[in-house]
């Protein structure tokens, strides 16, 4: 009985195999399977992904640019290793001599006294002017103001009206006259856009001096 069942099952299995084989031939599957040879498949080259710049990478590049700029700016700066730092007492003495010099001018031109700070003679080279003086005697718009030293040499500077100070050109004047911390200047407005400038050197007994 068991043998008969196995024989029937085997006949049924062979019949299904034969039917499946005919179906594969009808669909042309054997030829397709032969054509799908793994060695004949060509893989497409991987495209190189474009990796976006990350904020960290941008920060590194920015620091490199800033370092290069610092290197250039340092190479162009004056050698300030011999800069003299003075006490408040010596600085106040220079201011007092400048104020006396201003009083002795006996001029009808408006004037003011300005003691030099580090920011005036190094680094940013920005010279702020007395606000009230600017409002009273200087224009309300940006323009060129000429500085005339005691030798008659003229230096053009840029006056920024809203900021009440001198920017472009002031650095050239400061360097040309070796201005240092504590030096005190007397500015005399001899023309609407021109100052006569007298320099009172810090630690000097003279009334005014030029280089």
């Amino acid at each position: 009985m068991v043998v008969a069942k196995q024989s029937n099952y085997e006949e049924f299995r062979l019949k299904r195999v034969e039917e499946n084989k005919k179906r594969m031939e009808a669909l042309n599957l054997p030829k397709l399977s032969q054509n799908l040879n793994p060695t004949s498949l060509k893989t497409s080259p991987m495209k190189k992904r474009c990796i976006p710049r990350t904020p960290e990478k941008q920060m590194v590049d920015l620091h490199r640019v800033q370092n290069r700029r610092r290197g250039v700016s340092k190479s162009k700066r004056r050698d300030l290793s011999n800069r003299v730092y003075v006490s408040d007492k010596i600085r106040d003495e220079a201011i007092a001599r400048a104020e006396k010099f201003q009083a002795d001018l006996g001029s009808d031109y408006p004037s003011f006294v300005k003691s030099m700070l580090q920011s005036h003679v190094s680094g940013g080279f920005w010279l702020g002017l007395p606000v009230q003086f600017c409002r009273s005697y200087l224009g309300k718009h940006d323009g060129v103001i000429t500085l005339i030293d005691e030798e008659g040499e003229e230096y053009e500077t840029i006056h920024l009206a809203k900021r009440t100070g001198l920017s472009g050109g002031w650095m050239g004047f400061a360097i040309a006259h070796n201005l240092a911390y504590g030096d005190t200047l007397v500015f005399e407005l001899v023309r609407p856009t021109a100052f006569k400038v007298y320099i009172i050197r810090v630690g000097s007994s003279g009334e005014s001096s030029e280089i």
Side-chain angles (χ1 to χ4, degrees), residues 192-209:
T193 59
F195 281 107
K196 180 79 174 183
V197 183
Y198 304 90
I199 301 174
I200 309 300
R201 300 290 181 184
V202 66
S204 172
S205 58
E207 291 184 339
S208 67
S209 62

Side-chain angles (χ1 to χ4, degrees), residues 112-122 124-130 134 138 145 147 157-160 163-171 173-174 179 183 185-187 195 197:
F112 65 88
V113 171
K114 185 73 176 180
S115 179
M116 296 293 98
L117 302 176
Q118 295 294 356
S119 59
H120 300 151
V121 297
S122 65
F125 287 97
W126 162 262
L127 182 68
L129 305 179
C134 292
L138 302 183
I145 287 185
L147 303 181
T157 64
I158 302 300
H159 172 235
L160 301 180
R163 297 184 62 186
T164 62
L166 302 181
S167 180
W170 166 250
M171 179 177 71
F173 182 91
L179 296 182
D183 288 344
L185 277 56
V186 178
F187 289 82
F195 281 107
V197 183

